[in-house]
Amino acid sequence: MGAAAGALLLKMVIAAFSGMGAATICHPLDVIRVQMQTEGNTYKGFGDAAKGIYKKDGLKDGLFAGISAAYLRQWLYGSCRIGIYAYLLENAQNANIANGLDKNAIPLSSKMLMGLTSGGIGSFVGTPSELALVRMSNDKKLPVDQRRNYKGVGECISRIAKEEGVPGLFRGAPATVLRACLLSACAMGITSEIKMRLSGSGLFGEDGKYLGGIPLLFVATLVSSFAANVVANPFDVVKSRMQAVSKSKDGSAQYSGMVDCFLQTVNNEGVLKLWSGFVPAFLKLAPYTVISLTLTDKITKVVTGKEAL
C-alpha cells in the first residue's frame, strides 16, 4: 500500500513540474482565451485580442496576469489529471502482463474512462485555483472602478473566501468538472491510443522511437487536443463566465447555475458563442498538452525507467 501511494505521489509531482513548464510558455494564450470568452469582449479575433491586451497592460500585468494562479493550478489540477492517469494506466498494463496479455491491450474506452476519472478529481480539487486564474486574467478588462486588483493568487483566494464565502471558491465547479472530464478523457485517452497505434506503423521509426519519440508524441497530442477542445469548449465558455462575475452586494448572482448561464449565452448571443475563444483555447491546449505530456513521459522515463503514457 505504501509503495503504491509513493508511486502515485511521484507521478503527481512529475506531472506538476511538467505542467508548470508548459504553463510558463502557454499562459498568455489562456489570458487571451478568458478575455475573449467573458462578457464585455470587443475583440475582433485572436490577433486583435493579443495586440489589445499587450498594448493596454503589457506583459506582466497583461498577457502574464494570473501566472501565479496558473502555477498553483498545476499542483492541484495538473498533478491529478496527468499523475493519476499515468498511475491507472500503469496498473492496467501490469494487470495485462500478469494475465499473459499484451500490456497495451487496453480498449480506448477504458483509457478515456481513466482520463475522465483523473480529470474530474483534479478539476474539483483545483477549482479554487481555476477561479483565481479566471479572475486575475480578466481583471484588467474590467472598468477601473470594478477591478479587484489582486496582488497574487494567495490574496485572490483569501479575498474570495472572505468576501463571497468559502463556497464562492467553488463557483462554476459543475461546469469546471464537466469540462475537465471531457477534456481529459479525450486528451489523455486519445493520446495514449494514437501513440500505441502509430508506434507500430513504422512512420516514426522502430517502435516510434525516432528522435526520442518526440515527433510521435507531438502528433498524438495534437490530434487529441483538437478533439478535446471541440468537445470541451462550450463548458469552458460557461465556466469562464460564471467564474468571472462575483455576487452583488444584495447576494444575487447574474447566473443561477450552469444551465442558466448556458441558456442565457445561447439565447442572447447565439449557439456559436459557446465556441468563442476556440482558436486561443486550441492554440493554448495543443502546445500545453504537447509540452506537459512530453515532459511527463520523458522525466518519468529518466526517473523510473518506464514511459508514463
Side-chain angles (χ1 to χ4, degrees), residues 103-124:
K103 76 169 188 177
N104 291 319
I106 303 170
L108 173 60
S109 57
S110 296
K111 296 173 184 173
M112 294 184 74
L113 182 59
M114 294 175 198
L116 184 148
T117 301
S118 64
I121 294 172
S123 65
F124 182 76

Side-chain angles (χ1 to χ4, degrees), residues 3 7 13-14 16 23 57 94 112 129 141 152 162 164 170 181 183 217 243 253 303:
V13 170
I14 291 174
D57 299 302
N94 289 339
M112 294 184 74
S129 63
K141 178 182 161 187
K162 182 179 179 180
E164 303 173 41
F170 290 88
C181 284
L183 188 148
L217 268 175
Q243 292 180 332
V303 175

Side-chain angles (χ1 to χ4, degrees), residues 82-96:
I82 300 176
I84 293 176
Y85 176 83
Y87 177 78
L88 294 175
L89 182 65
E90 184 179 44
N91 281 352
Q93 291 174 334
N94 289 339
N96 279 351

